[in-house]
């Protein structure tokens, strides 16, 4: 039996794509291996969001080239494939395929031809969702893409180039995927999209479906106990969606709502046209709908022209919202983006200083929140055993990791009393 090796970098959308590619290869009779020298086919499923991510892919390609069997086929799929296009073949002449995020279903065309060269970085289609086989068994958390691409055109972001303009999948296709996931083992559904709350599908009869419709429909499935979605754009947090946090118990009390910067000037240059007042108003409405809700954010520090005062405004918004579980990044100039051409690029040393200060502050708040959970009982979802096998790893409703002593008949969804906490994780015990 022929074997394939796949390594995935980047976001949840890529993780999903990687699972679909694996399911497709298995349906063609291939078997997965985690050893490059054993593989007849090697795929790197790639991320281009920051320069570091792209560099990582090219150094991994160098390693693959040295470790692979001479006649094994190899190639890249995903965002770096789209970013690099034909130049990837110039950098690594032995590559067999370079397939963008919306073209990987073309892979079978060349599977048995080691001399093949296939370049397809087209955008604009959702065929991959229809053409690829479903996974036979769903993991407990089913990631279900509902839209792909982004129309917002933030000036720092390569995603509109790599994943294209926004396309929303038909409502009935998404619900069919939810039903399939529920039937085959899912307990939690996480709806995915680069601009997930911008989901908008108009059915042939004219009915318009939004994310709130999808959530309400998925919540009807008895197997599904928890629902969440990522990643959201602030101004698309419409009232129908906010109200669901009040009425729909299965919706987790946790939302990633990236603000990126707390400076109105920087937000303008990022082409993120919302005011801080509007953003805070949305957070307050969410808290009114669901008092126990917690918010996380993504931040970029060192965007071109960011002054100390701009940066301090980011610290102020962190103080105001008290974000948990956030991600922060140094600004990284990307090809095909407007910000890469802006004057006043910030020196690396200043970016590093600001990132360290922001991270320290976010970590303090995270630790404080984690400690406030001690003594509480939360319903958590099991992700499996840790490396030692002595513990089980659960996720709380706030996506905190919670470590519990291994237990033979521990339920997948369990009430856990939190007994200890640090910055990164919680410890707990099963409530009988
Ligand atoms: N530089 C740094 N961070 C970036 N992100 C997106 N583009 C860049 C960039 N050029 C971050 C944003 C986004 C997250 C997925 O990655 O914070 O929300
Ligand atoms: Fe990476 Fe962004 Fe593409 Fe996801 S969408 S793979 S994070 S560049």
């Amino acid at each position: 039996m022929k074997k394939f090796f796949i390594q995935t970098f980047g976001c949840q959308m890529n993780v999903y794509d990687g699972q679909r590619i694996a399911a497709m290869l298995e349906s063609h009779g291939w078997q997965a291996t985690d050893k490059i020298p054993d593989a007849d086919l090697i795929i790197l499923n790639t991320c281009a969001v920051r320069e570091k991510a792209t560099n990582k892919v090219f150094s991994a390609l160098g390693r693959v080239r040295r470790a692979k069997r001479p006649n094994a086929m190899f190639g890249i799929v995903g965002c770096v494939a789209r970013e690099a296009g034909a130049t990837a073949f110039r950098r690594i002449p032995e590559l067999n395929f370079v397939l963008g995020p919306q073209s990987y279903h073309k892979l079978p065309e060349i599977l048995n031809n080691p001399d093949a060269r296939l370049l397809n970085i087209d955008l604009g289609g959702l065929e991959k969702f229809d053409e690829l086989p479903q996974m036979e068994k769903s993991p407990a958390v089913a990631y279900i893409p509902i839209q792909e691409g982004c129309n917002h055109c933030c000036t720092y972001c390569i995603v509109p180039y790599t994943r294209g303009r926004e396309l929303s999948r038909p409502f009935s296709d998404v619900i069919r995927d939810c039903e399939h996931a529920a039937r085959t083992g899912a307990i939690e559904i996480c709806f995915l999209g680069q601009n997930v709350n911008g989901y908008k599908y108009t059915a042939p009869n004219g009915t318009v479906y939004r994310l709130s419709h999808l959530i309400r429909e998925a919540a009807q499935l008895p197997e599904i106990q928890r629902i969440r979605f990522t990643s959201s754009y602030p101004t698309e947090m419409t009232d129908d969606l906010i109200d669901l946090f009040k009425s729909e118990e299965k919706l987790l009390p946790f939302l990633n709502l990236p603000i990126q910067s707390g400076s109105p000037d920087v937000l303008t240059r990022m082409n993120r046209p919302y005011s801080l007042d509007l953003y805070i108003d949305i957070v307050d409405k969410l808290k009114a709908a669901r008092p126990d809700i917690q918010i996380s954010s993504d931040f970029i520090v060192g965007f071109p022209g960011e002054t100390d005062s701009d940066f301090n405004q980011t610290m102020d918004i962190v103080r105001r919202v008290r974000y948990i579980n956030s991600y922060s990044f140094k600004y990284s100039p990307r090809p095909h983006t407007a910000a890469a051409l802006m004057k006043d690029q910030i020196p690396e040393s200043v970016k590093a200083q600001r990132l360290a200060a922001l991270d320290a502050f976010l970590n303090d708040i995270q630790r404080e929140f984690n400690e406030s959970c001690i003594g509480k009982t939360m319903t958590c979802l099991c992700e499996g055993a840790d490396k030692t096998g002595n513990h089980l790893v659960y996720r709380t409703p706030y996506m905190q990791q919670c470590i519990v002593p291994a237990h033979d008949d521990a339920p997948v969804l369990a009430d856990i009393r939190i007994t200890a906490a640090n910055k990164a994780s919680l410890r707990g015990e099963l409530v009988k």
Side-chain angles (χ1 to χ4, degrees), residues 27-45:
S27 78
H28 281 78
W30 291 67
Q31 190 183 25
T33 173
D34 55 7
K35 294 187 188 65
I36 293 174
D38 290 351
D40 304 284
L41 169 68
I42 297 140
I43 303 167
L44 299 185
N45 178 22

Side-chain angles (χ1 to χ4, degrees), residues 9-14 46-49 79 158-159 162-163 194:
F9 302 83
C11 64
Q12 279 306 333
M13 190 73 102
N14 259 15
T46 63
C47 172
V49 76
C79 290
I158 195 173
V159 168
T162 58
R163 298 240 177 205
Q194 270 83 40

Side-chain angles (χ1 to χ4, degrees), residues 49-50 156-157 260 298 300 329-332 334:
V49 76
R50 282 167 290 278
Y156 53 79
C157 191
Q260 308 295 356
D298 297 356
I300 296 177
F329 309 101
K330 288 188 278 189
Y331 167 70
S332 164
R334 305 306 294 124

